[in-house]
């Protein structure tokens, strides 16, 4: 009950927070001192949560060590969000109606994890965006996005889909639906060595621009994980049109993000 009360307090504060971090992705949000609370307090629009199927529960954890002692997706995120949304008359942020993305990174048994997810969100289904093919049949205040071990065929087989996908760079292909895969992601280290000091090397900058252009041409947004979490990298990513910036440093990024607008 203490955890729930704290969650609601921060979410109510978030509803009054006028400056949102539209390009902020709270990387491994559950590792924050106050999971969910910090991200909503600072106005982030995308939250990443690692999920394991363990003992028929969806457990939130970075590794499989000690899963018996870890909390569930329901207790940390779904219940507090649902209660706060109800209290705030169907909103998360007063100044924005776009859905808050909950990106679930499946860590094991993708198909079984997805089937369990459908059971777990049943009481909250009305809060989530849903699709029939590429058509939105319900616009929700929350949006599920599946990453990691993605059971793509299983998800696509649903007549009414409850989730979209976080794809890879190969999904920038025009043949891949930007409704099914609205975001593509890649490891920073696969393409870049720059650590944020000085200017990004010209050759690496060309690669970055090519990747961003390909994603945008196919109607998708782009994100890199594992990038150095500092001002130099943040500035270059935003300047070059990267849509989602991974960060563990929520307050510093939010302050920096808003200072750019000034």
């Amino acid at each position: 009950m203490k955890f729930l009360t704290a969650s609601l307090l921060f979410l109510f504060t978030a509803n009054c927070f006028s400056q949102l971090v539209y390009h902020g992705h709270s990387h491994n949000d559950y590792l924050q001192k106050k999971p969910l609370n910090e991200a909503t307090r600072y106005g982030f629009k995308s939250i990443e949560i690692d999920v394991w199927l363990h003992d028929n529960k969806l457990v939130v954890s970075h590794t499989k060590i000690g899963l018996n002692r870890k909390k569930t997706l329901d207790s940390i995120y779904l219940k507090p969000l649902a209660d706060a949304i109800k209290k705030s008359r169907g909103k998360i942020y007063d100044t924005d109606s776009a859905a808050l993305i909950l990106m679930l990174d499946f860590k094991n048994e993708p198909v079984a994890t997805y089937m369990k997810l459908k059971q777990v969100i049943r009481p909250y289904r009305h809060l989530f965006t849903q699709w029939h093919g590429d058509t939105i049949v319900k616009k929700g205040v929350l949006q599920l996005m599946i990453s990691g071990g993605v059971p793509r065929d299983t998800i696509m087989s649903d007549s009414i889909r409850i989730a979209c996908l976080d794809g890879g760079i190969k999904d920038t292909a025009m043949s891949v639906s930007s409704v099914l895969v609205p975001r593509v992601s890649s490891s920073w280290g696969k393409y870049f060595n720059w650590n944020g000091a000085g200017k990004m090397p010209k050759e690496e900058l060309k690669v970055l621009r090519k990747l961003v252009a390909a994603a945008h041409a196919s109607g998708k947004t782009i994100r890199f994980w594992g990038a150095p979490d500092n001002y130099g990298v943040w500035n270059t990513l935003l300047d070059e049109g990267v849509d989602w910036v991974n960060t563990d440093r929520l307050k510093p990024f939010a302050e920096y993000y808003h200072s750019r607008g000034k």
Side-chain angles (χ1 to χ4, degrees):
M1 179 60 69
K2 184 181 294 184
F3 176 82
L4 180 58
T5 302
S7 295
L8 293 177
L9 175 61
F10 273 100
L11 283 165
F12 291 148
T13 301
N15 284 338
C16 300
F17 195 79
S18 60
Q19 292 182 302
L20 302 183
V21 183
Y22 292 102
H23 298 85
H25 175 80
S26 180
H27 172 249
N28 290 350
D29 182 79
Y30 54 91
L31 296 178
Q32 293 292 325
K33 187 175 181 180
K34 294 184 174 73
L36 175 63
N37 302 339
E38 293 298 303
T40 54
R41 179 182 184 183
Y42 294 113
F44 278 66
K45 294 294 294 180
S46 180
I47 294 175
E48 180 176 343
I49 310 158
D50 287 354
V51 175
W52 296 79
L53 180 62
H54 176 73
D55 196 22
N56 200 34
K57 297 177 182 178
L58 295 184
V59 179
V60 175
S61 177
H62 189 57
T63 69
K64 65 179 179 180
I65 298 173
L67 291 179
N68 288 330
R69 301 188 300 274
K70 301 296 177 66
K71 295 180 179 179
T72 65
L73 175 68
D74 198 19
S75 65
I76 301 178
Y77 289 96
L78 300 182
K79 285 182 179 178
L81 277 168
D83 288 341
I85 292 167
K86 182 177 180 179
K87 292 284 186 179
S88 58
R89 299 181 181 181
K91 295 183 178 180
I92 293 181
Y93 299 120
D94 282 344
T95 56
D96 185 59
S97 61
L100 172 66
I101 297 172
L102 299 182
M103 192 184 88
L104 306 185
D105 191 334
F106 285 4
K107 308 303 287 187
N108 67 332
E109 302 183 55
V111 173
T113 300
Y114 179 67
M115 300 309 290
K116 182 63 180 180
L117 175 63
K118 292 204 293 184
Q119 295 178 17
V120 169
I121 72 160
R122 192 169 294 151
Y124 317 109
R125 191 176 175 111
H126 62 289
L127 300 176
F128 288 91
T129 298
Q130 299 167 40
W131 301 263
H132 173 67
D134 281 354
T135 302
I136 293 178
V137 295
K138 185 186 186 310
K139 184 177 180 181
V141 68
L142 301 173
Q143 179 176 315
L144 282 174
M145 179 178 286
I146 309 302
S147 183
V150 178
R152 185 173 299 210
D153 291 342
T154 302
I155 293 172
M156 291 176 63
S157 69
D158 285 343
S159 58
I160 301 297
R161 221 169 7 91
I162 61 166
C164 59
L165 310 182
D166 174 58
I169 294 299
K170 65 181 180 180
D171 289 312
T172 56
M174 298 296 289
S175 59
V176 178
S177 166
S178 59
V179 177
L180 177 67
V181 184
R183 178 158 78 194
V184 297
S185 301
S186 179
S187 166
W188 177 262
K190 183 176 180 179
Y191 296 100
F192 311 110
N193 293 310
W194 182 58
N195 64 5
K199 292 184 178 181
M200 190 177 207
K202 290 182 180 180
E203 291 305 313
E204 292 192 13
L205 186 58
K206 288 180 182 178
V207 173
L208 177 61
R209 288 173 174 171
K210 182 178 180 180
L211 293 172
V212 172
H216 292 174
S218 65
K220 304 173 181 76
T221 60
I222 190 167
R223 174 184 72 98
F224 296 96
W225 74 82
D229 205 4
N230 59 51
Y231 294 103
V233 172
W234 296 345
N235 191 62
T236 296
L237 292 179
L238 292 172
D239 280 351
E240 296 301 327
V242 173
D243 305 278
W244 297 102
V245 178
N246 257 39
T247 185
D248 300 305
R249 303 171 61 201
L250 304 189
K251 182 179 180 181
F253 181 79
E255 291 174 342
Y256 164 75
Y257 182 83
H258 298 314
S259 72
R260 284 172 56 92
K262 297 178 182 178

